[in-house]
Amino acid sequence: MDRVGVSLSGGQFKDLQSLSSKHVAFSLTEACPLACRHCIVSTTAVSDKSCYLPIDEAREYASQLPGLRSRGVRFVSFTGGEPLLAARQLQVLSDAASDCGMNSTVVTACHWADNPESALRRIRSFPGIQNWFLSTDIYHLEFVPADNVVR
C-alpha cells in the first residue's frame, strides 16, 4: 500500500498543533463572482446575500477578538467564496484584529484589481490586513486575468 500524506516528527507535529491554537479563520461569504470548475467551495451568486456573514455577527465576533488575543490567538484569516465581497464584515473584523495586535490575512482571487489605481485603493481601504494571499491558477484565468494578480 502506498503512503499518502506528510510525515512529521513528534516535535513538528507539536509545533503544528501549537500554531493552530494561535489562529482563527472566518469564512465571510459563500458568494463568488467566479465560477471555477475546480472550486472546493460550493459558491453562490454574488447577489445571494443570505450566504454572507451578517454584519451584526461580524461585530459580535470582533468584540471577542481581544479576549482571544489574551488567550494566545495571534493570527486571523479571511476566506470565502470571495471575502472582499463582504467588505463591511471584512473591515469590521480586520480592524478589530489589528487594534488588538493580531496579524490578518485575506485570500482573494483579485477580480477587483482591474487597474493599478483600483488595486491600490482597495488594498489601502483595509489597513487592518497585513497579508494578501492571491489565489490564481489556470482555472481562475478564465475569469480573472493574470495582470489583476500582478497588480
Side-chain angles (χ1 to χ4, degrees):
M1 185 163 147
D2 293 332
R3 286 184 71 177
V4 177
V6 176
S7 179
L8 299 174
S9 70
Q12 289 170 320
F13 187 66
K14 181 180 174 189
D15 290 344
L16 184 62
Q17 285 180 318
S18 175
L19 182 59
S20 68
S21 70
K22 296 175 183 171
H23 178 255
V24 65
F26 292 95
S27 180
L28 301 180
T29 180
E30 294 174 7
C32 185
L34 314 184
C36 302
R37 293 181 299 274
H38 76 295
C39 190
I40 63 170
V41 179
S42 296
T43 58
T44 63
V46 171
S47 60
D48 184 358
K49 300 302 182 190
S50 71
C51 295
Y52 287 66
L53 176 69
I55 190 66
D56 290 341
E57 287 184 30
R59 288 184 184 114
E60 176 61 27
Y61 293 141
S63 74
Q64 295 173 28
L65 291 178
L68 291 175
R69 174 70 169 91
S70 71
R71 289 176 180 82
V73 175
R74 301 291 183 262
F75 308 101
V76 180
S77 297
F78 303 103
T79 65
E82 171 53 59
L84 271 75
L85 293 175
R88 288 177 49 214
Q89 295 88 332
L90 181 58
Q91 190 80 61
V92 165
L93 286 162
S94 64
D95 286 350
S98 179
D99 289 347
C100 66
M102 294 174 155
N103 190 302
S104 293
T105 298
V106 67
V107 180
T108 178
C110 302
H111 72 283
W112 43 267
D114 294 331
N115 60 64
E117 295 79 21
S118 69
L120 188 57
R121 188 170 45 254
R122 179 60 63 116
I123 290 168
R124 286 183 174 163
S125 71
F126 294 101
I129 298 174
Q130 294 78 31
N131 304 293
W132 292 73
F133 286 1
L134 311 178
S135 179
T136 189
D137 55 31
I138 60 172
Y139 301 101
H140 284 112
L141 293 177
E142 181 179 354
F143 305 99
V144 179
D147 286 346
N148 281 37
V149 178
V150 172
R151 284 189 208 62

